[in-house]
Amino acid sequence: VLTNEWDTELADSIHRFGPLGTLTCTEVIELLRTTKADEQRDHILITLLDLNHAGMDVAGKVVIRAFMPLALGYARTSAATRDLYRHSRFDATDTVLAAFWEVVATYPVDTRRTSVAGNLRGRMMKALRGFGSHVGVEYNTSDEYLEDLVNGDAQEPEEDALEELRTLFTWAIDTE
């Protein structure tokens, strides 16, 4: 979807990117790619992240687009999404992009103003560990409870404190 939106709406659209000036989204990507000095690249990325945090969604989409080759590679090679990629490369790619959206939206622009590209990559890897932590986990559920769910007869069991403790300890042992 992001590629479609980029091709049809964003690539040639003109926006005011704060101190970077009035540019098309493609020109901003090119500016990022051709800038050799780390300080200048950091300035461009921080500007885009600041604008995104201030409500300019297009700036965030430009950052996502700039890191798209990296994200696509992570979908295939990251331990968190490798098994998912074997099943569905689209789901793995969507998972990585969702993780990167989270990283862009929560990037600490006030405290991390240098090595921004490296920090974004590192934070993406950290976020992916959280996204992939549930893959391959099995949950033990009684057959009766599942049958009740299927038949529409499921009722919330009334648990007392002892039953809740038993459930907690069973979960802890199963996830060890």
Side-chain angles (χ1 to χ4, degrees), residues 86-100:
R86 290 181 190 133
H87 174 70
S88 168
R89 67 184 175 102
F90 298 111
D91 289 347
T93 301
D94 289 347
T95 299
V96 171
L97 290 175
F100 198 54

Side-chain angles (χ1 to χ4, degrees), residues 59-71:
K61 291 176 183 181
V62 169
V63 174
I64 297 289
R65 182 64 183 202
F67 284 83
M68 187 70 78
L70 179 72

Side-chain angles (χ1 to χ4, degrees), residues 17 20 23 28-35 37-51 59 62-63 116:
F17 289 100
L20 300 178
L23 304 163
V28 176
I29 296 285
E30 193 58 31
L31 186 62
L32 274 170
R33 287 187 182 144
T34 58
T35 300
D38 290 339
E39 298 84 22
Q40 290 175 332
R41 197 170 325 127
D42 285 343
H43 173 71
I44 295 167
L45 287 170
I46 286 294
T47 299
L48 293 171
L49 291 167
D50 273 334
L51 290 169
V62 169
V63 174
V116 179

Side-chain angles (χ1 to χ4, degrees), residues 1-3 11 14 36-37 40 44 56 73 86-87 95 122 134 138 147 159 162 165 175:
V1 174
L2 187 59
T3 303
I14 299 171
K36 300 297 182 203
Q40 290 175 332
I44 295 167
M56 185 180 183
R86 290 181 190 133
H87 174 70
T95 299
H134 67 280
E138 293 184 22
E147 287 175 10
E159 293 185 356
L162 185 59
L165 270 175
T175 58

